[in-house]
Amino acid sequence: MIEASAPGKLYLAGEYAVVEAGYPAVIAAVDQHLFVRLKQAETGKIHSTQHPDLFVTWSRHDHHICPDAPHPYQLITSSMRVVEDYVRTLGVDTETLYQIEIRSDLDDEQSGTKYGLGSSGAVTVGVVKAVLAYYEQAVVPLLVYKLSALAQLRIGMTGSFGDLAASSFGGIVAYHSVDRTWLKDMMEHLTILELVTQDWQGLSVESLDLPDGLDLLVGWTGSAASTEQLVADMQSQLGEDEKEAVHRQFLASNRTCVERLIRACHENDRKIVRETIVTNRKQLQEFSAGMGIVIETPQLARLCQLALAQGAVAKSSGAGGGDCGICLVDSPKQKEKITEAWEEVGIIPLPLSIAYRE
Ligand code: PMV
Ligand code: MG
């Protein structure tokens, strides 16, 4: 029996800008996980707590994984197939069948509520790790990230893959996104082995720590948001010159701010880290006003104001429009005060910490 897990994630800074090749973001893996169990079996099977009553069976045709009926697990099968394509190029046989069982703590199962902690990223990373382990391959973070990105790209998923970097590496990462256009082109010309062994244009992933004395506090607004929709709305505006200029300006100022944040983490500089979170929040507010999209909803604004009132810094996290806000606190006392203030207005503090690499 193979067991693998992948942590959820939250953006600390750099969201939206990171969708462009080579732009930085800082993303934290959080200690809420998705778990994958895999074992060899007579029949290929996929089961996930996402659809508790659905059991998808699969068989092999010419070594390849073929589900026996239409199913909603495209991301899971794409992840399985990418790893199998990879191991086959290493000369490994892919002939056995196996069962995959997925359990996620990233969503609230009872209510089906999504917190926006990156469950699709975590399921990709979790399945890639489990299938790599099944074929006795080393489960190395950069390889896991690359195979996960390919699995998502193959089924046409959009975005920066920053969630995949955080889930694959754990801890806090400074992430510069891969150039998707370059990667798509390479996918057509290279074998998967060549693809994963070469450097990816634009990509860098580096581990970071928050300065001593700063702690992460996460509040959930109570409403789920669609990242894909928000990013699509943003991108659909880019045809107009005026919006294009807003976007360009945002990218440039964002880069300066997020690179300053990364440096401040390296230099253990709490004051500058706080400043950059405040600046990044302002940049996102201006960007959303200029683009005509809602990132910081009234509930996210309230979440930030209540944190600021206690002397902490706070901002929306990720695409916004709901989901979570993050806050950096200086002391347990401050944390307690903010938590109480949030609860009074219906913001739910999530019991999350940063998930460091095992
Ligand atoms: O809402 P989240 O936590 O999934 O973050 C989305 C971050 C974006 O930069 C807006 C999109 C992306 O793919 O990077
Ligand atoms: Mg979100």
Side-chain angles (χ1 to χ4, degrees), residues 7 9 12 49 85 122 130 162 164 194 235 254 290 293 314 331:
K9 65 85 191 65
L12 301 188
T49 48
D85 289 350
L164 300 178
E194 289 167 334
Q235 283 171 334
N254 212 276
I293 54 171
S331 69

mmCIF file with all atom_site columns, all heavy atoms in Angstrom, residues 7 9 12 49 85 122 130 162 164 194 235 254 290 293 314 331:
data_model
loop_
_atom_site.group_PDB
_atom_site.id
_atom_site.type_symbol
_atom_site.label_atom_id
_atom_site.label_alt_id
_atom_site.label_comp_id
_atom_site.label_asym_id
_atom_site.label_entity_id
_atom_site.label_seq_id
_atom_site.pdbx_PDB_ins_code
_atom_site.Cartn_x
_atom_site.Cartn_y
_atom_site.Cartn_z
_atom_site.occupancy
_atom_site.B_iso_or_equiv
_atom_site.pdbx_formal_charge
_atom_site.auth_seq_id
_atom_site.auth_comp_id
_atom_site.auth_asym_id
_atom_site.auth_atom_id
_atom_site.pdbx_PDB_model_num
ATOM 1   N N   . PRO A 1 7   ? -0.201  19.071 0.742   1.00 0.00 ? 7   PRO A N   1
ATOM 2   C CA  . PRO A 1 7   ? -0.824  20.133 1.530   1.00 0.00 ? 7   PRO A CA  1
ATOM 3   C C   . PRO A 1 7   ? -1.601  21.108 0.667   1.00 0.00 ? 7   PRO A C   1
ATOM 4   O O   . PRO A 1 7   ? -1.337  21.251 -0.530  1.00 0.00 ? 7   PRO A O   1
ATOM 5   C CB  . PRO A 1 7   ? 0.385   20.838 2.163   1.00 0.00 ? 7   PRO A CB  1
ATOM 6   C CG  . PRO A 1 7   ? 1.496   20.629 1.189   1.00 0.00 ? 7   PRO A CG  1
ATOM 7   C CD  . PRO A 1 7   ? 1.238   19.284 0.537   1.00 0.00 ? 7   PRO A CD  1
ATOM 8   N N   . LYS A 1 9   ? -2.750  25.215 0.021   1.00 0.00 ? 9   LYS A N   1
ATOM 9   C CA  . LYS A 1 9   ? -1.890  26.409 -0.097  1.00 0.00 ? 9   LYS A CA  1
ATOM 10  C C   . LYS A 1 9   ? -2.678  27.710 0.099   1.00 0.00 ? 9   LYS A C   1
ATOM 11  O O   . LYS A 1 9   ? -3.909  27.731 -0.047  1.00 0.00 ? 9   LYS A O   1
ATOM 12  C CB  . LYS A 1 9   ? -1.224  26.444 -1.477  1.00 0.00 ? 9   LYS A CB  1
ATOM 13  C CG  . LYS A 1 9   ? -2.221  26.624 -2.644  1.00 0.00 ? 9   LYS A CG  1
ATOM 14  C CD  . LYS A 1 9   ? -2.558  28.065 -2.920  1.00 0.00 ? 9   LYS A CD  1
ATOM 15  C CE  . LYS A 1 9   ? -3.702  28.320 -3.842  1.00 0.00 ? 9   LYS A CE  1
ATOM 16  N NZ  . LYS A 1 9   ? -5.041  27.962 -3.525  1.00 0.00 ? 9   LYS A NZ  1
ATOM 17  N N   . LEU A 1 12  ? 0.402   34.421 -0.188  1.00 0.00 ? 12  LEU A N   1
ATOM 18  C CA  . LEU A 1 12  ? 0.722   35.516 0.730   1.00 0.00 ? 12  LEU A CA  1
ATOM 19  C C   . LEU A 1 12  ? 0.859   36.825 -0.053  1.00 0.00 ? 12  LEU A C   1
ATOM 20  O O   . LEU A 1 12  ? 0.521   37.887 0.446   1.00 0.00 ? 12  LEU A O   1
ATOM 21  C CB  . LEU A 1 12  ? 2.016   35.231 1.509   1.00 0.00 ? 12  LEU A CB  1
ATOM 22  C CG  . LEU A 1 12  ? 2.029   33.950 2.373   1.00 0.00 ? 12  LEU A CG  1
ATOM 23  C CD1 . LEU A 1 12  ? 3.288   33.911 3.239   1.00 0.00 ? 12  LEU A CD1 1
ATOM 24  C CD2 . LEU A 1 12  ? 0.790   33.858 3.260   1.00 0.00 ? 12  LEU A CD2 1
ATOM 25  N N   . THR A 1 49  ? -13.502 11.072 -1.970  1.00 0.00 ? 49  THR A N   1
ATOM 26  C CA  . THR A 1 49  ? -14.555 11.586 -1.080  1.00 0.00 ? 49  THR A CA  1
ATOM 27  C C   . THR A 1 49  ? -15.301 12.749 -1.730  1.00 0.00 ? 49  THR A C   1
ATOM 28  O O   . THR A 1 49  ? -16.345 13.162 -1.254  1.00 0.00 ? 49  THR A O   1
ATOM 29  C CB  . THR A 1 49  ? -13.951 12.056 0.264   1.00 0.00 ? 49  THR A CB  1
ATOM 30  O OG1 . THR A 1 49  ? -12.816 12.881 -0.021  1.00 0.00 ? 49  THR A OG1 1
ATOM 31  C CG2 . THR A 1 49  ? -13.539 10.894 1.115   1.00 0.00 ? 49  THR A CG2 1
ATOM 32  N N   . ASP A 1 85  ? 3.465   7.869  -18.430 1.00 0.00 ? 85  ASP A N   1
ATOM 33  C CA  . ASP A 1 85  ? 4.216   8.199  -19.655 1.00 0.00 ? 85  ASP A CA  1
ATOM 34  C C   . ASP A 1 85  ? 5.682   8.440  -19.309 1.00 0.00 ? 85  ASP A C   1
ATOM 35  O O   . ASP A 1 85  ? 6.587   8.044  -20.039 1.00 0.00 ? 85  ASP A O   1
ATOM 36  C CB  . ASP A 1 85  ? 3.646   9.474  -20.314 1.00 0.00 ? 85  ASP A CB  1
ATOM 37  C CG  . ASP A 1 85  ? 2.273   9.221  -20.934 1.00 0.00 ? 85  ASP A CG  1
ATOM 38  O OD1 . ASP A 1 85  ? 1.869   8.035  -21.015 1.00 0.00 ? 85  ASP A OD1 1
ATOM 39  O OD2 . ASP A 1 85  ? 1.608   10.203 -21.322 1.00 0.00 ? 85  ASP A OD2 1
ATOM 40  N N   . ALA A 1 122 ? -3.721  20.185 -5.012  1.00 0.00 ? 122 ALA A N   1
ATOM 41  C CA  . ALA A 1 122 ? -3.312  19.127 -4.080  1.00 0.00 ? 122 ALA A CA  1
ATOM 42  C C   . ALA A 1 122 ? -3.653  17.738 -4.628  1.00 0.00 ? 122 ALA A C   1
ATOM 43  O O   . ALA A 1 122 ? -2.878  16.798 -4.454  1.00 0.00 ? 122 ALA A O   1
ATOM 44  C CB  . ALA A 1 122 ? -3.956  19.351 -2.721  1.00 0.00 ? 122 ALA A CB  1
ATOM 45  N N   . ALA A 1 130 ? 1.905   9.617  -5.438  1.00 0.00 ? 130 ALA A N   1
ATOM 46  C CA  . ALA A 1 130 ? 1.546   8.216  -5.180  1.00 0.00 ? 130 ALA A CA  1
ATOM 47  C C   . ALA A 1 130 ? 1.946   7.322  -6.357  1.00 0.00 ? 130 ALA A C   1
ATOM 48  O O   . ALA A 1 130 ? 2.505   6.242  -6.162  1.00 0.00 ? 130 ALA A O   1
ATOM 49  C CB  . ALA A 1 130 ? 0.043   8.106  -4.908  1.00 0.00 ? 130 ALA A CB  1
ATOM 50  N N   . GLY A 1 162 ? 1.242   28.124 -9.365  1.00 0.00 ? 162 GLY A N   1
ATOM 51  C CA  . GLY A 1 162 ? 1.849   28.471 -8.075  1.00 0.00 ? 162 GLY A CA  1
ATOM 52  C C   . GLY A 1 162 ? 1.374   27.544 -6.964  1.00 0.00 ? 162 GLY A C   1
ATOM 53  O O   . GLY A 1 162 ? 2.141   27.190 -6.063  1.00 0.00 ? 162 GLY A O   1
ATOM 54  N N   . LEU A 1 164 ? 0.713   24.443 -7.331  1.00 0.00 ? 164 LEU A N   1
ATOM 55  C CA  . LEU A 1 164 ? 1.449   23.179 -7.480  1.00 0.00 ? 164 LEU A CA  1
ATOM 56  C C   . LEU A 1 164 ? 2.839   23.287 -6.859  1.00 0.00 ? 164 LEU A C   1
ATOM 57  O O   . LEU A 1 164 ? 3.343   22.339 -6.257  1.00 0.00 ? 164 LEU A O   1
ATOM 58  C CB  . LEU A 1 164 ? 1.583   22.808 -8.963  1.00 0.00 ? 164 LEU A CB  1
ATOM 59  C CG  . LEU A 1 164 ? 0.263   22.602 -9.718  1.00 0.00 ? 164 LEU A CG  1
ATOM 60  C CD1 . LEU A 1 164 ? 0.547   22.288 -11.194 1.00 0.00 ? 164 LEU A CD1 1
ATOM 61  C CD2 . LEU A 1 164 ? -0.557  21.485 -9.083  1.00 0.00 ? 164 LEU A CD2 1
ATOM 62  N N   . GLU A 1 194 ? 12.786  14.264 -21.699 1.00 0.00 ? 194 GLU A N   1
ATOM 63  C CA  . GLU A 1 194 ? 13.562  15.469 -22.038 1.00 0.00 ? 194 GLU A CA  1
ATOM 64  C C   . GLU A 1 194 ? 12.948  16.702 -21.367 1.00 0.00 ? 194 GLU A C   1
ATOM 65  O O   . GLU A 1 194 ? 13.657  17.565 -20.857 1.00 0.00 ? 194 GLU A O   1
ATOM 66  C CB  . GLU A 1 194 ? 13.586  15.676 -23.556 1.00 0.00 ? 194 GLU A CB  1
ATOM 67  C CG  . GLU A 1 194 ? 14.439  14.674 -24.286 1.00 0.00 ? 194 GLU A CG  1
ATOM 68  C CD  . GLU A 1 194 ? 14.206  14.689 -25.809 1.00 0.00 ? 194 GLU A CD  1
ATOM 69  O OE1 . GLU A 1 194 ? 13.097  15.082 -26.258 1.00 0.00 ? 194 GLU A OE1 1
ATOM 70  O OE2 . GLU A 1 194 ? 15.117  14.282 -26.522 1.00 0.00 ? 194 GLU A OE2 1
ATOM 71  N N   . GLN A 1 235 ? -8.469  38.414 -17.717 1.00 0.00 ? 235 GLN A N   1
ATOM 72  C CA  . GLN A 1 235 ? -7.809  38.304 -19.019 1.00 0.00 ? 235 GLN A CA  1
ATOM 73  C C   . GLN A 1 235 ? -8.675  38.815 -20.168 1.00 0.00 ? 235 GLN A C   1
ATOM 74  O O   . GLN A 1 235 ? -8.161  39.346 -21.141 1.00 0.00 ? 235 GLN A O   1
ATOM 75  C CB  . GLN A 1 235 ? -7.339  36.862 -19.246 1.00 0.00 ? 235 GLN A CB  1
ATOM 76  C CG  . GLN A 1 235 ? -6.075  36.604 -18.429 1.00 0.00 ? 235 GLN A CG  1
ATOM 77  C CD  . GLN A 1 235 ? -5.638  35.151 -18.394 1.00 0.00 ? 235 GLN A CD  1
ATOM 78  O OE1 . GLN A 1 235 ? -6.450  34.252 -18.539 1.00 0.00 ? 235 GLN A OE1 1
ATOM 79  N NE2 . GLN A 1 235 ? -4.346  34.920 -18.187 1.00 0.00 ? 235 GLN A NE2 1
ATOM 80  N N   . ASN A 1 254 ? 4.146   45.358 -8.807  1.00 0.00 ? 254 ASN A N   1
ATOM 81  C CA  . ASN A 1 254 ? 4.048   44.104 -8.076  1.00 0.00 ? 254 ASN A CA  1
ATOM 82  C C   . ASN A 1 254 ? 5.394   43.406 -7.952  1.00 0.00 ? 254 ASN A C   1
ATOM 83  O O   . ASN A 1 254 ? 5.769   42.906 -6.904  1.00 0.00 ? 254 ASN A O   1
ATOM 84  C CB  . ASN A 1 254 ? 3.068   43.207 -8.831  1.00 0.00 ? 254 ASN A CB  1
ATOM 85  C CG  . ASN A 1 254 ? 2.313   42.295 -7.910  1.00 0.00 ? 254 ASN A CG  1
ATOM 86  O OD1 . ASN A 1 254 ? 2.793   41.242 -7.557  1.00 0.00 ? 254 ASN A OD1 1
ATOM 87  N ND2 . ASN A 1 254 ? 1.150   42.728 -7.475  1.00 0.00 ? 254 ASN A ND2 1
ATOM 88  N N   . GLY A 1 290 ? -9.093  49.286 -11.441 1.00 0.00 ? 290 GLY A N   1
ATOM 89  C CA  . GLY A 1 290 ? -8.742  49.612 -12.820 1.00 0.00 ? 290 GLY A CA  1
ATOM 90  C C   . GLY A 1 290 ? -9.272  48.594 -13.822 1.00 0.00 ? 290 GLY A C   1
ATOM 91  O O   . GLY A 1 290 ? -9.610  48.928 -14.962 1.00 0.00 ? 290 GLY A O   1
ATOM 92  N N   . ILE A 1 293 ? -12.779 44.313 -11.779 1.00 0.00 ? 293 ILE A N   1
ATOM 93  C CA  . ILE A 1 293 ? -13.108 43.010 -11.178 1.00 0.00 ? 293 ILE A CA  1
ATOM 94  C C   . ILE A 1 293 ? -13.073 43.171 -9.657  1.00 0.00 ? 293 ILE A C   1
ATOM 95  O O   . ILE A 1 293 ? -12.380 44.047 -9.151  1.00 0.00 ? 293 ILE A O   1
ATOM 96  C CB  . ILE A 1 293 ? -12.121 41.884 -11.599 1.00 0.00 ? 293 ILE A CB  1
ATOM 97  C CG1 . ILE A 1 293 ? -10.663 42.288 -11.316 1.00 0.00 ? 293 ILE A CG1 1
ATOM 98  C CG2 . ILE A 1 293 ? -12.281 41.505 -13.049 1.00 0.00 ? 293 ILE A CG2 1
ATOM 99  C CD1 . ILE A 1 293 ? -9.659  41.166 -11.494 1.00 0.00 ? 293 ILE A CD1 1
ATOM 100 N N   . ALA A 1 314 ? -2.782  42.696 6.856   1.00 0.00 ? 314 ALA A N   1
ATOM 101 C CA  . ALA A 1 314 ? -3.670  41.692 6.260   1.00 0.00 ? 314 ALA A CA  1
ATOM 102 C C   . ALA A 1 314 ? -3.986  42.033 4.820   1.00 0.00 ? 314 ALA A C   1
ATOM 103 O O   . ALA A 1 314 ? -3.836  43.183 4.392   1.00 0.00 ? 314 ALA A O   1
ATOM 104 C CB  . ALA A 1 314 ? -4.971  41.613 7.059   1.00 0.00 ? 314 ALA A CB  1
ATOM 105 N N   . SER A 1 331 ? 1.946   38.551 17.769  1.00 0.00 ? 331 SER A N   1
ATOM 106 C CA  . SER A 1 331 ? 1.908   37.883 19.077  1.00 0.00 ? 331 SER A CA  1
ATOM 107 C C   . SER A 1 331 ? 0.643   37.038 19.203  1.00 0.00 ? 331 SER A C   1
ATOM 108 O O   . SER A 1 331 ? -0.361  37.305 18.548  1.00 0.00 ? 331 SER A O   1
ATOM 109 C CB  . SER A 1 331 ? 1.912   38.932 20.196  1.00 0.00 ? 331 SER A CB  1
ATOM 110 O OG  . SER A 1 331 ? 0.668   39.623 20.183  1.00 0.00 ? 331 SER A OG  1
#
